[in-house]
Amino acid sequence: MLCSCSAWHPVSMMTLSLPFSFPHRPGLPMLVALLLLQGAAPAAADNHWQDLHKAVREQRIVPLPSLLDWLEARYMGQVLEIELERDDGRLTYEIEMLGPQGQVVEFEFDAKSGELVGMEGVKIDAMRRRAETP
């Protein structure tokens, strides 16, 4: 697990490497992320996880569990890594997943709106969940 924060903004980049997929429990991924960030943050960044939690509470950024739920409903795979980055002034979540055929795909979401803004990888269509017919 790695947490790195640049000097110019407390939530400019945070990376969590997760060797497992989250069980479907509301709030669990954010709780795990916050606990990991709190324990892994350097002494000078002790309160940065609180800034992130406050931003979510104030609805300035989308809660991570809502994005994970969106992905789980539409794509098969396991979460490998989650990053919260500031790129060209825009705060984004980058969620890397391992698909059923061994493919690695990165999904990029605007952290403010929750909008999917990009995907990259191979065999992305093979990860899509098919709509169930009644």
Side-chain angles (χ1 to χ4, degrees):
M1 284 155 264
L2 168 73
C3 174
S4 61
C5 303
S6 77
W8 69 273
H9 195 279
V11 291
S12 62
M13 187 184 102
M14 291 176 224
T15 303
L16 299 172
S17 296
L18 305 169
F20 55 88
S21 59
F22 284 114
H24 187 71
R25 304 248 190 310
L28 181 62
M30 184 57 81
L31 175 61
V32 169
L34 289 173
L35 291 173
L36 292 173
L37 288 173
Q38 181 181 16
D46 281 345
N47 294 327
H48 292 185
W49 70 270
Q50 292 174 331
D51 295 337
L52 176 61
H53 186 67
K54 182 179 178 184
V56 171
R57 213 176 39 246
E58 292 175 353
Q59 299 179 349
R60 289 184 282 128
I61 62 173
V62 173
L64 179 58
S66 64
L67 299 178
L68 294 173
D69 288 345
W70 187 93
L71 279 172
E72 182 181 1
R74 290 164 179 80
Y75 294 91
M76 297 177 284
Q78 293 181 312
V79 173
L80 296 175
E81 182 176 77
I82 300 169
E83 295 179 3
L84 180 59
E85 287 189 336
R86 185 168 300 277
D87 188 22
D88 294 330
R90 180 184 207 176
L91 197 58
T92 60
Y93 285 104
E94 293 176 358
I95 302 174
E96 190 174 279
M97 290 180 68
L98 176 65
Q101 297 176 0
Q103 68 271 48
V104 176
V105 175
E106 183 176 281
F107 299 87
E108 184 175 341
F109 294 89
D110 180 284
K112 192 172 186 177
S113 68
E115 175 187 354
L116 179 65
V117 294
M119 292 186 288
E120 63 181 49
V122 296
K123 300 181 188 173
I124 296 171
D125 283 338
M127 291 177 62
R128 289 187 196 274
R129 293 192 186 273
R130 305 295 175 224
E132 295 181 23
T133 55

